[in-house]
Each structure stands twice: as structure tokens, then as C-alpha cells.
């Protein structure tokens, strides 16, 4: 149902953008625990989708690495540059060349920019998308069946669709720029930082993770327990500094170590014990490798940039190696997790 609703909405959004010089919307991609099948909060489910953005006509996107960020998060800016369309006969008939036309003529024909300086701005993109959804909603048949309520967000478009008192859907539409032809995107999703500049885009592995779990689903036995393991782990993490992404990384590693025949429903307790054992080893050794950096066990169905496949393994627990107090606290919290 959510897929159908989002596809219909994107269809009407794209119609509003015909012949514009704004980013081109691509079909939305399901991401996150809800679509992967292991959401820990059934009462307040959020359906998250990533909407890839292609550059406006006559422009190109050029990602620029800012810094390595905290943990695996690499931060980028996306420079928007005009490209010459003078030699493209089809485009030359329909549009001005943003590189070679006089500036005065371009200003008369130019639409509001989503950039700050030369860089794509997350906040401006989110506001533009919000206004776009608002305008297209009136035109779509969805408005006669669902009531739309926008929810606060400066880096995505969040809204609730309500059909009646019992049927409500919370949807978050994030934006992303694809890295080549891979499953890695520069995403508008927020970071844990208190302040994130509006021109900063976070390297996201959400689409690659979704592709990995689709691959696992094709290999898994009927009534496999791997998603139930993730769901249980996510619930016991509440109140600790261990994140769901940490547990997800542990489970993904084990899914490539143990054959799928060992993830049957009857194996739930042994696999939970294996997850806790693996996590304990990682905490004690102050090392948990990122799943997509230099990991030869990542299946070929997950499309990664060559640089990521050949990269040095990235330690997600580097902060434990650098901070003895943090390491001691992690060991204490792990004992509490075992009890839970």
C-alpha cells in the first residue's frame, strides 16, 4: 500500500516538474527496518523511502568530500555545475545553455535555485519538495481518499496519511544523489550531530543494506529467524548507548559467516547467543568492522563502488580504543544486555 501511494505521488510530482530546470525525481527506493521487516516499534512505524535526484537539465552534480565524519559517516558537499548544451541539438532547441548564454538572459529564465553558493542545499531542497507535495496533492486522486498532515523536518519531507481513526501511515521521504551506478548514495538524512550545515550530505549505506537483506531473503529458509533476531536485539537496546546500526552490522556479518540453513525458526535462541558472543568479542577487542568497507563477504548483488570494496576495513569501535572510560562503560552495558 505504501509503495503504491508513494509511486502515485512521485508520478504527480514529476508531472509538475516537466520542462523545469529543477532536479529530476527518480522512483523512490524503500529503506530502513520497516521495509526490511524488523521494525522494533510496531505502534509507531515510519515508512522511509529515498528519492534519488538527478541533476537539472544543463547541469551536473559533483560530490566533494568534506571530512571523514564520525565513525563511518563521510560528509560531502554536492557542487552543481552548468554543462555546455550548445552541441546537443535536442536540448539546444528547448533551453538556453547555462554555460554560454548571456547572464542577463539566463536570469530572466532561471527558476529559484536550490543551492547555497554553488552547492546543493538540503534545507532548500526539503522546502522545495514540501511545497511540491503540497501542490501535487490537490491534483492527485489520493486527496479524496487520504488526509495529508505534514510533520516537522528540515532535511526530509515527513507527513502522515490518515484514512480514518484506525488507518494512519507515517512516511518520510529523504533525498539522495547516487554515487556512480552503485547502491551508495549521498543522502539528506540527518546525523547525530547537534548542528549539520545545510550544504552537507551524508554518505548513506541504507540502499546497500536493503539490497543485502533482499539477497538474504532469497537464500533464507522458510520461517527464517534472522529478522526476528534483529527485532529482539533492537528492543533490548533501549536505554543503552549501543545503536541499532551496531546490532545490524553484527547480524549482517553473521549472516555471511553462518550458512542460511542455520537460521531456521528453531535456531532463534542459538543465533541470539551467537550475536551476543560476537558483540562481546567486538567490545572486548575494541573493534567492529563496517560491513561495506573492504569486506570480501559482501555479495555481488550489492553494487558497491570499487573504492569501497578495496578499502581498508573501517573500525566502528575506534572510539572505544581511544577512550578507556567509554570502553569500560561499553563492557558494563554489554553485561546488562546479556541479562536482558
Amino acid at each position: 500500500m505504501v509503495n503504491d501511494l508513494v509511486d502515485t505521488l512521485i508520478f504527480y510530482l514529476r508531472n509538475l516538474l516537466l520542462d523545469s530546470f529543477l532536479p529530476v525525481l527518480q522512483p523512490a527506493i524503500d529503506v530502513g527496518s520497516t521495509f526490511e521487516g524488523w521494525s522494533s516499534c510496531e505502534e509507531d512505524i515510519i515508512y522511509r523511502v529515498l528519492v534519488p535526484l538527478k541533476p537539472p537539465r544543463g547541469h551536473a552534480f559533483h560530490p566533494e568530500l568534506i571530512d571523514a565524519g564520525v565513525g563511518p559517516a563521510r560528509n560531502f558537499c554536492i557542487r552543481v555545475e552548468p554543462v555546455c548544451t550548445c552541441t546537443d541539438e535536442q536540448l539546444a532547441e528547448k533551453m538556453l545553455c547555462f554555460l554560454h548564454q548571456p547572464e542577463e538572459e539566463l536570469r530572466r529564465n532561471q527558476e529559484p535555485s536550490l543551492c547555497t553558493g554553488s552547492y546543493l542545499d538540503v534545507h532548500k531542497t526539503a522546502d522545495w519538495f514540501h511545497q511540491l507535495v503540497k501542490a501535487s496533492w490537490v491534483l492527485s486522486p489520493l486527496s479524496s481518499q487520504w488526509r495529508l498532515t505534514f510533520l516537522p523536518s528540515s532535511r526530509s519531507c515527513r507527513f502522515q496519511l490518515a484514512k480514518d481513526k484506525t488507518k494512519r501511515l507515517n512516511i518520510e521521504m529523504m533525498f539522495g544523489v547516487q554515487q556512480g551506478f552503485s547502491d551508495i548514495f549521498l543522502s539528506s538524512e540527518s546525523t547525530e550531530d547537534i548542528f549539520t550545515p545545510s550544504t552537507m550530505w551524508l554518505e548513506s549505506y541504507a540502499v546497500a543494506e536493503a539490497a543485502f537483506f533482499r539477497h538474504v531473503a532469497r537464500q533464507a529458509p522458510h520461517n527464517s529467524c534472522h529478522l526476528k533476531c534483529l527485532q529482539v536485539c533492537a528492543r533490548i537496546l533501549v536505554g543503552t548507548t549501543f545503536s541499532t546500526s551496531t546490532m545490524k552490522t553484527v547480524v549482517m556479518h553473521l549472516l555471511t559467516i553462518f550458512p542460511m540453513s542455520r537460521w531456521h525458526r528453531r535456531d532463534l535462541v542459538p543465533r541470539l547467543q551467537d550475536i551476543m558472543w560476537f558483540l562481546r568479542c567486538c567490545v572486548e577487542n575494541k573493534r567492529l568492522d563496517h560491513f561495506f568497507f573492504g569486506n570480501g563477504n559482501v555479495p555481488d548483488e550489492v553494487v558497491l563502488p570499487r573504492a569501497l570494496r578495496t578499502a581498508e576495513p573501517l573500525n566502528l569501535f575506534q572510539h572505544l580504543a581511544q577512550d578507556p572510560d567509554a570502553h569500560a562503560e561499553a563492557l558494563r552495558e554489554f553485561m546488562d544486555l546479556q541479562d536482558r
Side-chain angles (χ1 to χ4, degrees):
M1 183 188 294
V2 172
N3 288 142
D4 290 343
L5 289 169
V6 169
D7 288 347
T8 301
L9 187 55
I10 292 289
F11 173 79
Y12 280 90
L13 294 177
R14 293 182 72 167
N15 279 345
L16 283 180
L17 294 172
L18 289 176
D19 299 323
S20 77
F21 297 107
L22 291 163
V24 182
L25 306 180
Q26 302 300 300
I29 304 171
D30 306 336
V31 296
S33 60
T34 302
F35 284 110
E36 289 164 359
W38 59 275
S39 178
S40 62
C41 268
E42 296 177 3
E43 302 81 17
D44 192 25
I45 286 178
I46 299 176
Y47 295 91
R48 290 187 171 89
V49 298
L50 186 140
V51 181
L53 303 177
K54 294 289 187 183
R57 291 183 301 160
H59 292 81
F61 287 152
H62 294 285
E64 295 179 356
L65 179 66
I66 303 173
D67 58 65
V70 179
R74 297 199 303 174
N75 300 317
F76 287 78
C77 282
I78 300 173
R79 185 160 42 89
V80 183
E81 281 193 347
V83 295
C84 179
T85 57
C86 297
T87 56
D88 190 319
E89 294 182 7
Q90 281 188 319
L91 283 177
E93 290 178 4
K94 298 179 181 178
M95 61 178 283
L96 301 171
C97 175
F98 283 82
L99 198 60
H100 295 124
Q101 289 293 331
E103 287 188 20
E104 184 179 340
E105 191 172 357
L106 285 174
R107 276 197 297 271
R108 286 200 302 268
N109 291 274
Q110 200 167 19
E111 295 171 272
S113 173
L114 302 183
C115 293
T116 293
S118 300
Y119 295 96
L120 191 62
D121 189 297
V122 175
H123 293 171
K124 290 180 181 179
T125 302
D127 184 61
W128 161 70
F129 196 86
H130 177 281
Q131 298 302 324
L132 203 59
V133 170
K134 199 172 181 181
S136 68
W137 187 257
V138 182
L139 305 174
S140 79
L142 299 175
S143 59
S144 63
Q145 306 166 39
W146 297 85
R147 186 174 70 257
L148 173 69
T149 304
F150 286 104
L151 305 173
S153 178
S154 62
R155 296 182 67 90
S156 63
C157 183
R158 295 181 185 175
F159 52 87
Q160 183 182 86
L161 297 180
K163 184 170 276 189
D164 50 47
K165 291 182 179 179
T166 58
K167 196 65 180 177
R168 300 187 177 200
L169 301 171
N170 293 315
I171 298 173
E172 180 176 17
M173 303 181 82
M174 303 174 294
F175 327 108
V177 173
Q178 189 175 17
Q179 293 275 55
F181 297 99
S182 74
D183 289 326
I184 306 301
F185 283 76
L186 304 184
S187 167
S188 68
E189 63 186 281
S190 58
T191 66
E192 296 178 0
D193 298 331
I194 296 173
F195 173 73
T196 303
S198 62
T199 54
M200 182 181 290
W201 296 71
L202 179 70
E203 188 171 59
S204 170
Y205 314 98
V207 174
E209 289 172 356
F212 173 76
F213 280 102
R214 284 195 302 271
H215 166 77
V216 169
R218 290 192 290 269
Q219 312 293 322
H222 180 62
N223 287 334
S224 170
C225 69
H226 68 285
L227 296 178
K228 180 58 70 176
C229 285
L230 270 168
Q231 193 174 57
V232 171
C233 290
R235 288 182 176 177
I236 67 171
L237 290 177
V238 177
T240 75
T241 57
F242 288 106
S243 66
T244 53
S245 64
T246 294
M247 282 304 219
K248 190 176 185 180
T249 301
V250 168
V251 172
M252 288 194 295
H253 277 299
L254 288 176
L255 283 168
T256 61
I257 293 172
F258 294 155
M260 290 310 303
S261 59
R262 294 178 62 180
W263 292 89
H264 197 275
R265 186 180 194 174
R266 62 178 175 268
D267 300 316
L268 175 63
V269 173
R271 292 298 76 78
L272 286 171
Q273 291 171 335
D274 289 330
I275 290 168
M276 298 307 293
W277 170 82
F278 192 99
L279 179 61
R280 178 173 186 161
C281 291
C282 291
V283 173
E284 289 179 345
N285 295 320
K286 309 170 195 175
R287 182 167 195 93
L288 170 62
D289 286 339
H290 191 287
F291 186 71
F292 294 115
F293 279 70
N295 182 5
N297 290 330
V298 177
D300 293 337
E301 285 79 358
V302 181
V303 184
L304 299 179
R306 179 176 173 78
L308 215 59
R309 284 197 178 270
T310 58
E312 288 295 317
L314 179 66
N315 182 15
L316 301 181
F317 280 177
Q318 185 63 35
H319 63 290
L320 300 184
Q322 296 170 341
D323 186 346
D325 291 337
H327 183 227
E329 179 61 25
L331 286 170
R332 283 193 295 271
E333 286 199 335
F334 173 79
M335 300 308 294
D336 182 44
L337 282 183
Q338 273 196 319
D339 293 340
R340 294 184 187 190

